[in-house]
Amino acid sequence: MNKITININGEERTLEVKSNLRLLDLIREDLALTGTKEGCGVGECGACTVIMNGEAVNSCLVMATQADGATIETVENLEKSAPELQESFVEHGAIQCGFCTPGMLMSAKALLDKVPNPSDMQIKTALEGNMCRCTGYIPIMKSVKEASKKIKK
Amino acid sequence: MKKVVGTKVKRLDAYEKVTGKAIYGDDINLPKMLHAAVRHADIPAGKILKIDTTKAKNLKGVVSVLLHDDIPTVKKVGPIRRDHNVIVKDSVHFIGDVIAIVAAETLETARKAADLIEIEYEEEQGIFDPREALKPESKLIHPEYKSNLVVHYPLRKGNVEEAFEKAESSDDEIIFERDYKTPYQEHAAIEPEVVIAEPNHQVKGVDVYGSIQNPFTTRKVVSIFTDLKLNQVNIIGSTMGGSFGGKDDIINVMACRAVALSLATNRPVKLAYTREQAMKEGYKRHPYFLNYKLAVNKNGKIKAMKINIVADSGAYSSQSFFVTWRSVVQATGPYEIENVQTDIKAAYTNKPYTAAFRGFGSPQIIFAQESMMDELANELGLTPYEIRKINGFKQGSKTASGQALTEHKVSLMEVIDIALEKADYHNKLKEFEKYNKTSRRFKKGIGFSCSYRGSSLGAEGVDTTSAIVSVQADGSSYIMTGLNENGQGLRTTYAMVVAETLGCTMEDIQFLTSQTANIADGGPTVASRGTIAGGNAVKDACDKIKANIFSVIKETFNVTEMTELVWADNKITNPQTKQEINFADAVQMTLNEGINTSAYGWWKSPDVSWDKETGQGNAYFTYVYGCQVAETQVDTSTGKIDMLNMVAAHDLGRVINRTGAEGQVYGGVAQGIGYGLLENYSVQNGIVKSENFDEYLLPTIKDIPNIDAILVENPDKYGPYGAKSLGEPTLELGAAAINNSVKFALKKKYNANPLTLERVFLGKDLVKKVRQSEVVSKERCEVPNINSKSNSETVPEKTTDRVSDINITVAKTLKEALEIMSNKKHWIISGGTDVIVQLRKEKYHKELLDISQIKELKITNEIDGNIVIGSACTFSSLIDNELIQKHYPLFIDGISLIGSTQIRSRATIGGNLVNAAPCADSVPSLFVYDASVKIESTEGSKIVKLSDFILGSYKNILGENEILTQIIIPIPKDKKYYRYFFKLGRRNALNITRMSIATMMSFDDNNKIDEVYIMPGSVFAKFQRLTNLEEFLVGKEFTTDLIEKVIALLDEKLESEIGGRWSSPYKIPVFKNMLRDALLTILEEK
Ligand code: FES
Ligand code: FES
C-alpha cells in the first residue's frame, strides 16, 4: 500500500493504493470514472488515454503509485474543459461504437492545449496511438480540425 | 417540408459517448458481484489426463471452481452442430479451449486460482491445415462426426467439363488457372469481450448483460445450456464497443460460463477477457485456399469457371455452414458465366475456430476472383476495365445460381464508372506508368475491384425481425427493436425512419435498449440487415400507428385517402386546404377515441430458394453493388506499401443517415486496408503468436489515406424508403483493389494477403521460430528477452497476463534510490512503458523501485561542451528541448518515431538504453554522436561509452546496485553535417522497428568526405557502427560509384555476420537498399 495524492478533474484526492494497481484501475475502480476504457493493457490501443500533467499518457502503462502528485484529467471533465471538441465529434460522425472515443478525445485535448492550431500531421501524430476500428479515422480527423477552429474564436 | 431520410443526422447515443457516460459491459458492477476467470488449455491438441483444483479451491476468496463434470445440464452448444464444449471434458481441440472456470471475490484472486489449477496432458500432434484434415488418413478432430469435413456446398450450372474440353481444342479459347490464399482476420473491436450474469429470482432464471451482438442467439444458447426456458433467460445488451460479427459465438459460450458460475454461487458474476484472451479464444475470419480455373475466349468472354475452395473452420463448426454458403453463391464474382462448377468445403483443424466477420465469406473470394480478373486481363491484352465490362452483370443477367437479376437495378457498371471517374483512374494509369519509368525507389499503382452482394440472410435461414414503436399522448415516442445497436448507428437510422414516416421530429424520439424479455425474437444483427430488415419492421409499426391515427383524423380533414395528407414537421397537413393538426393533438384525439397508438412491427423477407444438391436458386431477394479504387505507393527498397487514396462507390439503395452511411464506408475501407496490408493473425503449430495489438497490427490514423465515399442510390422496392445494405460491402473490396494496384506498380502478382514487407519484396513470408512467451519487451525485436530469474519455490505459469505480484518503493531523491538499491535488488521502473508490459507476463514476485519522480534525473543541461541528459527524461521532453533540437537533429529524428505520442510522454531515455533492445530507436543516433552514460551506486560513479555500456541484445553492464543516471553527449563541431535517418516498420506509427539506419556526413573544402557515421539499428546482434565502411569512405570523393563500392563491402559484412538467419533473405538485401538510399539522399542533397 502506498499513499498518494492526485488532482483528478480539478479535485484533490488522497488515496491508499495497492502496489499492483495501475493508474487505469485507480481511475475506473477506485474513483469509479468508467469513461476511461481498457482495450489492450499494453499501450497499443490508446483507449485508456488520460491527460497526466498536461500530456496524453496510456493509463494502463502508469502505476497508480507513480501518479502521486500528478494532475489527471479524464473524459468526465470535458464538458467543463472542452465542450467544443465533444460537439465537434458528435457533429462530424467521429463516433460509432464510442469505445475509442474517450481516449481519442483526451489525446486531441492534450494536443489542442499545446497547439491551438495544429497541422494535419500534428493531429495525426497526436492520435497515432489511438486505434479506432469503426470510423476509419476520417471523421475523427475532421472533428479535431473543426474543433481547433472553433476554440480559436 | 423537412425530409429526414437522406440527411446528415447526429447519432442518438453521441452525447453519452463523448462524456464517458455510456455504460459498456465492463462498466457494470453489481452488488455482491463475483469476478470470474477461465483456465485455457496449454496445448493445441491432446488428452487431458488429470485436473487438480485443490490449490485453486483453497485460495482465500475463491467461491467456485467448475469443471466439465460439474455442469449438470447440456455441455455442448453450437449454432447448427453442437460440437463446442463450453468447458471441455477430456480432450483439447485448440489452444483457446476452456478447461475450468473460477469465481472469486476479486478479479486477481479468480485469475490466480486459474493459474493454480494443475493439469496433466498427453499432447497429440494436431492438424493445422484444413487440406490436410480432409485427407482420409487424417486423425479425426471430432470423432463423433466421423469426418473432419464440416460442410460441403456444391454449385453446378451448365457443363464445365464440356466447356473446358472445347476450350482445349479451340484456338480461340484459353485455359487460365490460379491459386490464392487468404489469412485469418481478427475482428479487433477495441472493447474486449465481457459478460455479467445475475440470478433472477422472479423468473427462477438469469439475467445476462454484456457486449452481446445477438441477444436472441445468446438467449437460445444459454437456455439450451442451462435447461432453462426461454422466458427464464433475459439478455440485456450493454453499449457495444464494436463487434463486426465478432461478439456472437464467443459471447454465447462466455455467457454460459458466467451463468453456470452465477447459478452455482447464487451471486452476480462478471467474466471479462483481456485482449490476449480474446485474441486467443475468439473466433476469426476463415482462412481460405482457393483454386480458380477458367475457360476464356480470347476476346475476353469467360465461358466456364471451376472453383475449388477449402475453408479452415478451426476447432469448431460454428458459423461455417453459413459463411461458406455465402461464398458459394458469390464465388464467381459479379460476372455472367454460362458454365460454373463450385465446390466449397470447410474442415476442422486444431486452431482457433472461425465464424462471422463483417464480409462473411466474401472478402476471401473477392480477393481471389478480383485479383484473377486483373491477371486475366493482362494475359489477354485487355484492360481491367474491359474484362469487367465484357463479363460483368447487366440488367437481367443470370448469376451462378441461375437467378435472373430482374427485380432490382443492376448497377455494377454504374458503380464502376462512378468510382473510376472519381479516382481519375484512366489518366492515372498513364501518369503512374510514366512516373514509374523514371522513379528509382518508389513506384505508384492504381487498381480496382468490384462486387455484388446479396442483402440480408438470403436462403441461409428464416429472415424476420421485430420492432415496437409506441407514441405517447404528447407526441413523443419510443422505439425498441429486435436487432441490436452494435455501434454501427442503428438506433439513429430507426429513429429517422420513425421521424420520416410519422412526421415527428428526431428530438421527440427515444430509442430504448431492448431486452429479449420485452420484444419478439428479432433474429441476429448480421448480414448488413440492420437497415433493410429492422428499418422495414420499424416502418411497419409506424404504418400501423399512422393508419390508426388516420382513422380518427380523416373526418376532421374530410379526406378518405392517407395520401391526401402530408405528415411532416410535427404536423399533419392537407396541402389542398392548408388545414393542419399538430401531430401531438392527432395522437391525443386517437387515444381519446380509445384507439392504440403503439404497434408491433414485423418484417419477413421476400421468398428466396436454394437447392442443396445443385446450388441453384434465388439465393437473395436483392443485391447491392460496389467498386473500390486503391492508389498505392510502393517502396521498392523495402517492400513497404503506402496508401495514397481510396475511392469507394457503393449502391446502397437509398441513404437514410448520410453521416452514418459515410461512416460505414470509411470504417469498412479501413478494415479492408488492414486485411490487405497489415493484419495477419499468426498461429504456428496451433500456438497463437498474435497475442495482442503489438503483434496483430491494426491500421493507425497514419495508415489510412483520404477516402472518397460515394453513395449511389437506386432505391429498392423491398427496402424501407428503398434502402438496402452497406456495412459489409465496404470491407470486402479493399484487399483486392490494393493487390491490383500493387500489381500495376511492380508488374508482379501476389496471390495472398496481407501484402507484408517480405511478401512484396521476396514474394513470400518468412517464418520466425521464437516462442511467443519468450518475447516480452515492448520494443520487440527478433531477439527474445528473458528476464525471469528462477526461484526456489515453484510458481505456476501466469495464464492471464496482468500486473499482479509486485511491490513498489518510491524514491524521491537519487541518494535515496541508490541506498535502496544497495540494500536489495530491485527492478527499476521509470516511464514504465517497457517494464509494465514485461510485468504482465512475469510470474515471480518483483520488487520495484520507482525513479520517475526523482527531479535531478529529469534535468537536461549544457556542461563543459557536453549536453547532459537526466536518465528519467521522457522522449517528449527531449523532442521539445531546444538544446537537443539544436545539437542533435539526428537523435530527434529517431526518437520522434518511438511508439506513439502517449508512449513518448512516459518512456524515458534511460529506460530505452537500459533495456538495450536491438531495435531501441534512441541508440543508433547516440552512437553516432558518441554518447556516454553515467552509472552510479552508493560506492561511487563512473562514466562509460554507450558502446561499452550495451553488451548485446537486452544486455548491459549495469550491476545489481547501480542506476544509470545521466547520458552525456559531446556537442558536435560547428559545421555542416548532412544527415539521414530511416526507420523501417510495417505501418506508419506505433511500430516495432524492423531495421533502421542513422547516417551523418560532412565534407572538407576539397569536397572530399571528411567525417562519416553509419549506424544500423536492429540488424546485428550487437549495436555497432559500420566502421570499416566509414573508413573506406573517408577522404574520398562522394559519387554513385563509390556508393556501390561501399554497398559491396556491406554485403560481405552482412553475409558473414547475419547470413543464415531466418530473416536474412529479407534483411540483407533490404539493409543494403537502406544504406544506398541513405547515401544517395545525402548525395542529392549535396
Ligand atoms: S488499454 Fe492502454 S493502450 Fe490499450
Ligand atoms: S468508434 Fe468504435 S473504436 Fe472508434
Side-chain angles (χ1 to χ4, degrees):
Chain A
M1 282 286 183
N2 297 32
K3 192 172 187 177
I4 63 163
T5 302
I6 62 167
N7 182 309
I8 176 90
N9 297 335
E11 198 188 323
E12 214 43 53
R13 295 284 300 267
T14 300
L15 304 126
E16 287 279 332
V17 298
K18 277 198 266 151
S19 273
N20 68 354
L21 202 75
R22 302 167 301 169
L23 177 59
L24 173 60
D25 307 320
L26 177 84
I27 291 169
R28 282 183 57 81
E29 289 160 24
D30 300 36
L31 300 171
L33 297 170
T34 56
T36 306
K37 304 298 180 201
E38 175 164 10
C40 71
V42 294
E44 292 281 337
C45 77
C48 65
T49 305
V50 301
I51 300 178
M52 177 171 174
N53 299 330
E55 292 198 88
V57 304
N58 292 318
S59 62
C60 71
L61 292 187
V62 179
M63 297 312 293
T65 309
Q66 296 186 293
D68 189 19
T71 300
I72 311 275
E73 183 177 9
T74 69
V75 65
E76 283 84 356
N77 198 50
L78 291 185
E79 279 180 282
K80 266 189 268 159
S81 69
E84 304 90 343
L85 188 60
Q86 291 173 309
E87 276 157 30
S88 191
F89 267 56
V90 174
E91 180 84 19
H92 298 103
I95 305 141
Q96 285 188 32
C97 81
F99 201 77
C100 71
T101 307
M104 284 285 179
L105 286 166
M106 298 322 288
S107 286
K109 163 85 168 34
L111 170 72
L112 296 180
D113 285 349
K114 283 192 201 171
V115 189
N117 191 12
S119 66
D120 282 7
M121 205 22 123
Q122 282 172 313
I123 298 175
K124 286 188 178 180
T125 297
L127 301 181
E128 69 188 355
N130 294 82
M131 300 296 144
C132 175
R133 193 57 159 166
C134 300
T135 66
Y137 304 105
I138 306 275
I140 295 177
M141 218 23 233
K142 185 163 182 198
S143 302
V144 179
K145 245 195 129 56
E146 294 299 320
S148 74
K149 289 183 201 158
K150 268 194 214 154
I151 293 170
K152 248 189 334 189
K153 269 188 248 156
Chain B
M1 184 183 72
K2 221 170 91 205
K3 277 276 165 206
V4 182
V5 161
T7 59
K8 293 196 167 200
V9 165
K10 294 179 197 169
R11 290 179 66 104
L12 292 191
D13 54 5
Y15 170 78
E16 64 215 56
K17 286 178 174 174
V18 290
T19 50
K21 293 190 174 106
I23 301 296
Y24 297 80
D26 200 28
D27 303 335
I28 297 173
N29 289 304
L30 301 174
K32 296 195 72 190
M33 186 176 82
L34 295 171
H35 294 268
V38 299
R39 174 61 189 269
H40 280 120
D42 305 277
I43 56 167
K47 293 265 164 297
I48 300 168
L49 303 179
K50 202 177 140 206
I51 307 171
D52 186 348
T53 58
T54 321
K55 285 185 190 158
K57 283 181 174 155
N58 288 343
L59 189 68
K60 189 165 168 272
V62 170
V63 182
S64 177
V65 179
L66 300 180
L67 302 180
H68 180 274
D69 289 340
D70 299 322
I71 307 290
T73 48
V74 177
K75 284 144 184 154
K76 284 189 174 187
V77 298
I80 294 258
R81 202 185 254 188
R82 290 195 201 154
D83 55 7
H84 192 163
N85 256 316
V86 171
I87 305 171
V88 296
K89 185 179 168 64
D90 47 16
S91 58
V92 172
H93 298 116
F94 87 115
I95 193 83
D97 269 336
V98 167
I99 297 176
I101 55 176
V102 181
E105 299 291 348
T106 70
L107 184 57
E108 176 52 28
T109 308
R111 289 175 169 172
K112 189 156 183 201
D115 295 346
L116 286 169
I117 296 171
E118 291 168 345
I119 308 168
E120 267 176 49
Y121 304 95
E122 183 180 296
E123 194 166 355
E124 290 166 2
Q125 177 58 43
I127 303 176
F128 307 122
D129 183 327
R131 296 165 303 178
E132 201 61 41
L134 289 176
K135 291 187 178 155
E137 68 272 20
S138 282
K139 186 193 78 174
L140 293 179
I141 291 175
H142 294 278
E144 61 273 35
Y145 295 104
K146 310 222 166 12
S147 163
N148 288 331
L149 179 70
V150 173
V151 63
H152 170 203
Y153 290 114
L155 179 148
R156 304 286 181 264
K157 179 191 181 194
N159 189 330
V160 166
E161 293 313 324
E162 222 175 81
F164 281 126
E165 268 168 40
K166 194 173 150 255
E168 264 163 38
S169 59
S170 159
D171 290 341
D172 292 336
E173 291 181 21
I174 61 161
I175 307 268
F176 184 87
E177 191 171 355
R178 285 286 186 272
D179 286 299
Y180 297 93
K181 200 174 92 178
T182 64
Y184 271 121
Q185 189 181 18
E186 156 71 24
H187 308 79
I190 305 301
E191 175 201 33
E193 286 74 356
V194 55
V195 277
I196 300 106
E198 178 184 31
N200 180 332
H201 299 296
Q202 196 184 359
V203 296
K204 300 190 191 63
V206 282
D207 291 345
V208 181
Y209 309 83
S211 55
I212 299 164
Q213 180 185 326
N214 297 318
F216 290 99
T217 319
T218 305
R219 181 179 68 158
K220 190 166 119 198
V221 174
V222 168
S223 142
I224 288 169
F225 177 73
T226 53
D227 262 353
L228 290 168
K229 294 239 181 304
L230 290 174
N231 67 5
Q232 293 174 292
V233 180
N234 187 21
I235 312 289
I236 305 138
S238 319
T239 306
M240 290 281 284
S243 183
F244 320 111
K247 286 169 176 163
D248 191 358
D249 303 58
I250 172 91
I251 280 295
N252 302 337
V253 290
M254 286 176 69
C256 289
R257 294 171 193 146
V259 165
L261 288 166
S262 175
L263 294 177
T265 59
N266 200 20
R267 286 172 66 175
V269 173
K270 182 196 277 186
L271 175 58
Y273 272 3
T274 61
R275 175 61 53 189
E276 288 88 356
Q277 290 174 319
M279 294 281 283
K280 186 192 243 187
E281 190 190 331
Y283 56 87
K284 321 283 172 227
R285 186 188 303 292
H286 292 67
Y288 274 21
F289 295 89
L290 313 99
N291 172 272
Y292 278 73
K293 190 175 165 190
L294 314 180
V296 196
N297 190 300
K298 282 187 178 157
N299 64 21
K301 180 73 193 155
I302 302 171
K303 297 293 203 179
M305 191 180 272
K306 187 174 171 180
I307 307 165
N308 259 304
I309 301 173
V310 178
D312 192 342
S313 186
Y316 301 110
S317 59
S318 187
Q319 307 275 339
S320 287
F321 299 95
F322 303 126
V323 172
T324 55
W325 182 74
R326 184 175 283 274
S327 304
V328 83
V329 176
Q330 296 172 184
T332 58
Y335 306 109
E336 184 162 23
I337 303 161
E338 241 176 272
N339 305 292
V340 181
Q341 175 175 328
T342 306
D343 287 278
I344 179 161
K345 293 176 178 169
Y348 289 124
T349 58
N350 293 112
K351 292 196 301 187
Y353 67 110
T354 47
F357 188 160
R358 187 180 194 175
F360 208 77
S362 73
Q364 297 97 325
I365 53 164
I366 291 172
F367 178 79
Q369 133 245 319
E370 285 301 281
S371 297
M372 179 184 68
M373 288 305 273
D374 270 36
E375 289 167 34
L376 178 64
N378 210 21
E379 178 93 11
L380 297 171
L382 296 169
T383 64
Y385 180 73
E386 285 164 341
I387 195 88
R388 289 173 174 86
K389 186 139 195 176
I390 293 166
N391 294 287
F393 284 156
K394 298 160 191 75
Q395 197 65 37
S397 284
K398 272 205 171 143
T399 67
S401 74
Q403 178 173 8
L405 301 174
T406 51
E407 301 296 295
H408 63 274
K409 170 87 182 294
V410 176
S411 57
L412 178 72
M413 289 317 293
E414 183 183 346
V415 294
I416 293 178
D417 286 333
I418 290 173
L420 295 190
E421 188 182 329
K422 177 77 194 177
D424 197 16
Y425 172 80
H426 297 287
N427 287 328
K428 287 233 168 99
L429 283 179
K430 287 180 219 141
E431 188 188 309
F432 288 178
E433 190 80 48
K434 209 166 123 203
Y435 172 88
N436 291 347
K437 282 212 178 90
T438 52
S439 169
R440 177 188 69 88
R441 178 173 169 187
F442 295 104
K443 307 283 177 192
K444 288 185 183 177
I446 185 162
F448 71 95
S449 65
C450 58
S451 71
Y452 82 121
R453 179 181 186 90
S455 293
S456 203
L457 299 177
E460 230 179 68
V462 182
D463 200 356
T464 56
T465 199
S466 55
I468 293 172
V469 177
S470 179
V471 182
Q472 309 302 304
D474 59 359
S476 69
S477 56
Y478 63 79
I479 317 169
M480 284 189 285
T481 61
L483 293 181
N484 208 34
E485 171 66 75
N486 292 328
Q488 77 282 52
L490 268 192
R491 291 188 190 196
T492 315
T493 299
Y494 293 161
M496 289 176 78
V497 170
V498 172
E500 180 78 28
T501 314
L502 295 180
C504 50
T505 49
M506 289 290 287
E507 292 70 34
D508 285 335
I509 303 166
Q510 298 293 344
F511 184 99
L512 301 185
T513 303
S514 317
Q515 314 180 5
T516 54
N518 60 19
I519 190 163
D521 187 343
T525 310
V526 297
S528 307
R529 68 197 277 270
T531 300
I532 193 162
N536 267 320
V538 170
K539 184 156 184 301
D540 179 50
C542 292
D543 284 339
K544 286 173 182 161
I545 296 167
K546 214 169 158 180
N548 283 358
I549 297 174
F550 182 73
S551 71
V552 174
I553 59 171
K554 66 181 177 189
E555 279 161 30
T556 320
F557 279 106
N558 202 10
V559 295
T560 53
E561 298 298 322
M562 180 86 86
T563 47
E564 293 175 68
L565 300 180
V566 172
W567 302 54
D569 307 328
N570 266 338
K571 290 189 294 272
I572 303 163
T573 315
N574 182 342
Q576 301 298 324
T577 61
K578 304 272 180 285
Q579 183 188 356
E580 57 180 48
I581 302 182
N582 280 335
F583 179 68
D585 295 339
V587 171
Q588 192 61 63
M589 286 163 67
T590 311
L591 290 170
N592 290 347
E593 290 297 315
I595 293 173
N596 191 4
T597 57
S598 298
Y600 229 105
W602 190 253
W603 177 80
K604 177 180 174 307
S605 77
D607 289 340
V608 287
S609 61
W610 190 255
D611 181 309
K612 271 210 156 109
E613 308 301 317
T614 60
Q616 295 295 293
N618 293 340
Y620 296 93
F621 61 86
T622 192
Y623 292 84
V624 293
Y625 300 85
C627 175
Q628 293 185 358
V629 192
E631 260 177 63
T632 56
Q633 170 173 287
V634 189
D635 181 351
T636 59
S637 292
T638 61
K640 166 94 172 19
I641 298 167
D642 270 308
M643 297 301 306
L644 300 180
N645 195 49
M646 283 291 279
V647 174
H650 291 276
D651 181 352
L652 72 175
R654 176 91 187 268
V655 177
I656 305 275
N657 182 4
R658 192 161 290 278
T659 306
E662 286 174 354
Q664 283 296 308
V665 177
Y666 299 139
V669 167
Q671 289 180 346
I673 292 173
Y675 190 54
L677 292 183
L678 295 172
E679 300 178 33
N680 56 345
Y681 175 78
S682 161
V683 182
Q684 282 173 35
N685 294 327
I687 308 287
V688 174
K689 299 288 182 183
S690 312
E691 287 191 316
N692 203 324
F693 291 157
D694 46 358
E695 288 278 313
Y696 188 83
L697 300 188
L698 301 176
T700 70
I701 195 167
K702 286 186 171 167
D703 298 292
I704 301 300
N706 172 60
I707 301 169
D708 294 309
I710 308 173
L711 306 171
V712 179
E713 295 184 282
N714 286 302
D716 193 276
K717 64 179 175 187
Y718 295 123
Y721 297 101
K724 297 197 267 193
S725 41
L726 179 66
E728 290 173 282
T730 57
L731 181 150
E732 64 191 15
L733 288 156
I738 291 168
N739 196 28
N740 288 340
S741 169
V742 172
K743 192 169 3 190
F744 175 84
L746 300 183
K747 308 274 180 265
K748 278 196 224 162
K749 54 180 197 285
Y750 297 98
N751 66 351
N753 61 313
L755 294 171
T756 57
L757 300 175
E758 288 88 350
R759 190 162 278 155
V760 174
F761 192 82
L762 296 173
K764 62 173 184 199
D765 270 334
L766 300 172
V767 178
K768 87 172 152 184
K769 296 195 174 55
V770 181
R771 283 188 70 84
Q772 183 70 30
S773 55
E774 295 168 347
V775 184
V776 289
S777 170
K778 172 113 228 66
E779 281 203 298
R780 289 268 198 66
C781 316
E782 282 155 24
V783 188
N785 174 15
I786 300 161
N787 259 313
S788 309
K789 289 270 155 47
S790 65
N791 204 317
S792 54
E793 65 176 309
T794 55
V795 177
E797 292 301 322
K798 240 183 200 176
T799 58
T800 307
D801 290 0
R802 64 202 190 271
V803 180
S804 46
D805 189 12
I806 63 166
N807 184 45
I808 306 186
T809 310
V810 181
K812 296 272 179 187
T813 64
L814 180 57
K815 186 157 171 284
E816 198 185 323
L818 293 173
E819 265 155 26
I820 294 169
M821 289 296 279
S822 74
N823 290 329
K824 191 166 164 201
K825 185 177 156 41
H826 283 75
W827 265 21
I828 289 187
I829 180 168
S830 185
T833 52
D834 278 339
V835 170
I836 295 173
V837 175
Q838 291 174 23
L839 283 173
R840 294 181 85 241
K841 296 218 177 267
E842 179 58 51
K843 64 177 182 173
Y844 296 106
H845 171 84
K846 285 287 162 209
E847 284 292 325
L848 271 75
L849 175 65
D850 178 26
I851 61 164
S852 68
Q853 301 173 54
I854 299 177
K855 294 220 169 58
E856 25 198 320
L857 296 183
K858 299 181 134 193
I859 297 167
T860 299
N861 266 329
E862 184 173 341
I863 305 172
D864 302 337
N866 293 304
I867 301 293
V868 177
I869 303 172
S871 62
C873 286
T874 64
F875 287 116
S876 297
S877 72
L878 296 175
I879 292 166
D880 292 342
N881 185 304
E882 281 171 17
L883 279 176
I884 307 284
Q885 286 169 358
K886 179 167 164 224
H887 295 301
Y888 312 111
L890 192 66
F891 178 62
I892 299 270
D893 292 344
I895 63 175
S896 302
L897 298 175
I898 290 177
S900 61
T901 294
Q902 291 97 318
I903 300 277
R904 292 189 296 273
S905 343
R906 290 292 297 170
T908 64
I909 180 166
N912 204 236
L913 299 181
V914 170
N915 195 36
C919 52
D921 286 315
S922 68
V923 176
S925 56
L926 288 180
F927 266 60
V928 169
Y929 289 121
D930 196 25
S932 299
V933 294
K934 184 173 181 190
I935 298 171
E936 294 186 56
S937 72
T938 43
E939 282 146 37
S941 71
K942 58 186 170 199
I943 291 174
V944 297
K945 289 261 186 226
L946 180 60
S947 50
D948 296 324
F949 175 78
I950 298 179
L951 292 172
S953 301
Y954 304 102
K955 288 199 205 92
N956 60 50
I957 62 164
L958 216 52
E960 291 210 337
N961 58 346
E962 291 176 330
I963 298 178
L964 186 155
T965 54
Q966 289 177 348
I967 292 83
I968 302 153
I969 325 177
I971 294 177
K973 286 176 217 144
D974 189 16
K975 65 174 179 181
K976 168 84 181 158
Y977 284 102
Y978 294 86
R979 68 178 211 274
Y980 178 92
F981 180 84
F982 178 75
K983 161 171 168 159
L984 173 63
R986 289 193 55 204
R987 54 183 178 185
N988 294 329
L990 259 178
N991 259 322
I992 299 160
T993 303
R994 292 295 295 276
M995 287 192 282
S996 68
I997 186 165
T999 316
M1000 204 163 77
M1001 288 176 96
S1002 69
F1003 298 89
D1004 65 17
D1005 296 342
N1006 302 322
N1007 226 356
K1008 300 262 164 59
I1009 299 170
D1010 183 16
E1011 283 173 66
V1012 55
Y1013 305 89
I1014 303 172
M1015 179 66 201
S1018 217
V1019 176
F1020 299 101
K1022 186 179 184 321
F1023 277 112
Q1024 51 176 300
R1025 263 171 48 201
L1026 300 179
T1027 40
N1028 61 329
L1029 273 62
E1030 294 170 0
E1031 281 159 19
F1032 173 81
L1033 288 169
V1034 168
K1036 298 206 170 79
E1037 201 176 325
F1038 195 34
T1039 62
T1040 47
D1041 256 10
L1042 185 73
I1043 293 175
E1044 286 314 312
K1045 280 189 192 137
V1046 82
I1047 302 278
L1049 265 185
L1050 172 66
D1051 187 57
E1052 279 169 35
K1053 185 170 171 67
L1054 290 168
E1055 284 296 343
S1056 73
E1057 292 199 28
I1058 66 165
R1061 282 205 215 161
W1062 70 271
S1063 56
S1064 58
Y1066 176 78
K1067 280 197 155 183
I1068 291 180
V1070 169
F1071 189 70
K1072 278 159 57 186
N1073 287 343
M1074 284 166 59
L1075 178 62
R1076 181 181 293 112
D1077 294 336
L1079 297 179
L1080 283 175
T1081 307
I1082 293 177
L1083 183 64
E1084 258 167 48
E1085 199 186 323
K1086 210 175 144 264

